[in-house]
Amino acid sequence: MDSGPTMACSNSSSQNMICYILDPGDESVEGKTLGLKQQYTLCSASLQDIIAHFERRSGKPVKWEIFAVQMNDTCPTLCIPELIRILMDWKGLSWKEA
C-alpha cells in the first residue's frame, strides 16, 4: 500500500474535485443555479425538521400564529417563501394565515 507523498497528493486532488463538484463557485450560471438549489434544499429540509419537532413537542394542535423562525444570514431568506408554501400546502392555511 502506498502511503507516501504520492498518496497524500492523490487524496488532496480527490478532495479538491469533490469540493469543486459540490461548490463550483458563482462564476458561472451553472454554479449559481447549483448554489440556489442547494440553499433551497437545505432551507426546506431544515424547516420541515423544525416544524416536525415543534408539532411533536406541543402535543396538541399547533397555533401557527405563534410559530416563528429566526434567520441570521441572507441565504436563509429562501425560508420565507418555503415556510409559506409548507404552511399552505401541508397545513392547509390560507395565504393570509401563512
Side-chain angles (χ1 to χ4, degrees):
M1 182 182 322
D2 187 14
S3 62
T6 304
M7 181 70 162
C9 187
S10 175
N11 286 342
S12 178
S13 178
S14 296
Q15 292 166 357
N16 288 337
M17 181 58 76
I18 291 169
C19 288
Y20 178 76
I21 290 169
L22 294 177
D23 186 12
D26 290 344
E27 295 81 31
S28 67
V29 173
E30 292 83 6
K32 290 176 184 177
T33 302
L34 178 61
L36 184 60
K37 288 178 180 179
Q38 289 171 335
Q39 289 172 21
Y40 172 77
T41 300
L42 293 173
C43 284
S44 182
S46 296
L47 281 171
Q48 291 175 46
D49 187 55
I50 290 167
I51 289 169
H53 278 66
F54 187 74
E55 289 177 321
R56 277 195 302 273
R57 192 178 65 198
S58 71
K60 55 187 173 187
V62 175
K63 295 181 181 179
W64 292 108
E65 60 272 7
I66 64 168
F67 184 78
V69 177
Q70 179 179 342
M71 296 172 288
N72 295 324
D73 198 352
T74 56
C75 294
T77 57
L78 290 170
C79 290
I80 298 167
E82 179 59 5
L83 179 58
I84 292 169
R85 185 194 72 78
I86 290 171
L87 292 175
M88 289 177 67
D89 292 353
W90 293 6
K91 304 302 173 188
L93 275 63
S94 69
W95 172 261
K96 187 175 180 178
E97 292 170 320

